[in-house]
Amino acid sequence: MDPFQRALEDSFARHGLPATLDPDGGAVPVRLLPARADEIASLGELRVQSATGLFEILASAFAGHGKGAVLLIGAERRRVQHHRIRDPRRYKVLLDTVPA
Protein backbone atom coordinates (compact mmCIF):
# COMPACT_ATOMS: atom_id res chain seq x y z
CA MET A 1 0.00 0.00 0.00
CA ASP A 2 1.11 3.55 -0.75
CA PRO A 3 2.50 5.15 2.46
CA PHE A 4 0.66 8.41 1.68
CA GLN A 5 -2.66 6.60 1.44
CA ARG A 6 -1.93 4.73 4.69
CA ALA A 7 -1.13 8.03 6.48
CA LEU A 8 -4.30 9.65 5.12
CA GLU A 9 -6.48 6.71 6.19
CA ASP A 10 -4.90 6.86 9.65
CA SER A 11 -5.67 10.60 9.88
CA PHE A 12 -9.32 10.00 9.00
CA ALA A 13 -9.54 7.13 11.53
CA ARG A 14 -8.02 9.19 14.36
CA HIS A 15 -9.47 12.64 13.70
CA GLY A 16 -12.52 12.16 11.49
CA LEU A 17 -16.11 12.70 12.53
CA PRO A 18 -18.25 9.56 12.42
CA ALA A 19 -21.02 9.78 9.83
CA THR A 20 -23.29 7.58 7.74
CA LEU A 21 -23.35 7.86 3.96
CA ASP A 22 -26.73 7.09 2.36
CA PRO A 23 -28.56 6.43 5.65
CA ASP A 24 -31.80 5.53 3.82
CA GLY A 25 -30.16 2.98 1.52
CA GLY A 26 -26.87 1.17 2.02
CA ALA A 27 -26.02 3.01 5.27
CA VAL A 28 -22.22 3.00 4.94
CA PRO A 29 -20.29 4.21 8.02
CA VAL A 30 -17.65 6.80 7.03
CA ARG A 31 -15.31 9.32 8.65
CA LEU A 32 -15.31 12.99 7.62
CA LEU A 33 -12.84 15.81 8.18
CA PRO A 34 -14.41 19.29 8.30
CA ALA A 35 -12.66 21.44 5.69
CA ARG A 36 -13.68 24.86 7.02
CA ALA A 37 -16.39 26.50 9.05
CA ASP A 38 -19.52 28.02 7.53
CA GLU A 39 -18.88 31.45 6.03
CA ILE A 40 -20.33 34.59 7.55
CA ALA A 41 -20.78 37.53 5.19
CA SER A 42 -21.24 41.07 6.46
CA LEU A 43 -23.33 43.51 4.44
CA GLY A 44 -23.33 46.69 6.51
CA GLU A 45 -25.26 45.88 9.68
CA LEU A 46 -26.55 42.58 8.24
CA ARG A 47 -24.58 39.38 8.90
CA VAL A 48 -25.52 36.29 6.89
CA GLN A 49 -24.24 32.80 7.66
CA SER A 50 -24.04 30.30 4.82
CA ALA A 51 -25.59 26.88 5.41
CA THR A 52 -22.88 25.28 3.28
CA GLY A 53 -20.56 22.83 5.03
CA LEU A 54 -17.38 21.44 3.51
CA PHE A 55 -16.11 18.00 4.45
CA GLU A 56 -13.34 15.77 3.15
CA ILE A 57 -13.97 12.06 2.73
CA LEU A 58 -11.76 9.24 1.48
CA ALA A 59 -12.30 8.74 -2.25
CA SER A 60 -12.67 5.00 -1.67
CA ALA A 61 -15.54 5.62 0.77
CA PHE A 62 -17.34 7.99 -1.65
CA ALA A 63 -16.91 5.78 -4.74
CA GLY A 64 -20.25 5.12 -6.44
CA HIS A 65 -21.89 8.20 -4.89
CA GLY A 66 -22.27 11.71 -6.26
CA LYS A 67 -24.41 14.81 -6.22
CA GLY A 68 -27.51 14.30 -4.10
CA ALA A 69 -25.92 11.74 -1.76
CA VAL A 70 -27.05 12.17 1.84
CA LEU A 71 -24.82 12.19 4.93
CA LEU A 72 -26.03 11.72 8.47
CA ILE A 73 -23.64 13.47 10.86
CA GLY A 74 -24.90 12.98 14.40
CA ALA A 75 -28.55 14.03 14.17
CA GLU A 76 -27.99 16.34 11.18
CA ARG A 77 -28.77 15.28 7.61
CA ARG A 78 -26.74 16.95 4.86
CA ARG A 79 -27.06 16.58 1.08
CA VAL A 80 -24.05 16.74 -1.24
CA GLN A 81 -24.62 19.56 -3.72
CA HIS A 82 -21.18 19.36 -5.29
CA HIS A 83 -18.00 17.31 -4.96
CA ARG A 84 -14.52 17.76 -6.33
CA ILE A 85 -11.08 16.24 -6.03
CA ARG A 86 -8.29 18.66 -5.14
CA ASP A 87 -5.92 15.99 -3.87
CA PRO A 88 -3.18 15.39 -6.51
CA ARG A 89 -3.05 11.68 -5.57
CA ARG A 90 -6.88 11.42 -5.72
CA TYR A 91 -7.18 9.76 -2.30
CA LYS A 92 -9.80 12.16 -0.90
CA VAL A 93 -12.83 14.09 -2.13
CA LEU A 94 -14.09 17.49 -0.96
CA LEU A 95 -17.87 17.50 -0.42
CA ASP A 96 -19.89 20.73 -0.49
CA THR A 97 -23.02 20.02 1.54
CA VAL A 98 -26.24 21.77 2.57
CA PRO A 99 -28.88 20.78 5.16
CA ALA A 100 -31.18 18.10 3.77
Side-chain angles (χ1 to χ4, degrees):
M1 175 185 281
D2 183 345
F4 294 105
Q5 183 175 4
R6 175 184 261 151
L8 188 62
E9 289 175 352
D10 187 48
S11 293
F12 273 86
R14 290 175 185 255
H15 306 293
L17 301 172
T20 304
L21 179 60
D22 190 19
D24 301 322
V28 179
V30 294
R31 306 289 284 187
L32 303 172
L33 293 175
R36 69 176 175 203
D38 293 342
E39 293 183 24
I40 298 177
S42 295
L43 306 169
E45 296 295 318
L46 178 66
R47 291 176 50 95
V48 179
Q49 183 171 2
S50 168
T52 297
L54 296 175
F55 299 93
E56 291 182 329
I57 187 171
L58 290 171
S60 59
F62 195 65
H65 294 86
K67 181 179 177 179
V70 175
L71 291 165
L72 182 62
I73 307 166
E76 183 180 11
R77 292 175 65 91
R78 300 195 66 88
R79 182 179 49 81
V80 175
Q81 65 177 1
H82 179 70
H83 66 282
R84 63 183 178 264
I85 299 175
R86 295 190 312 191
D87 175 21
R89 290 189 168 86
R90 306 181 76 76
Y91 294 148
K92 60 185 177 175
V93 177
L94 180 66
L95 304 177
D96 184 355
T97 66
V98 292

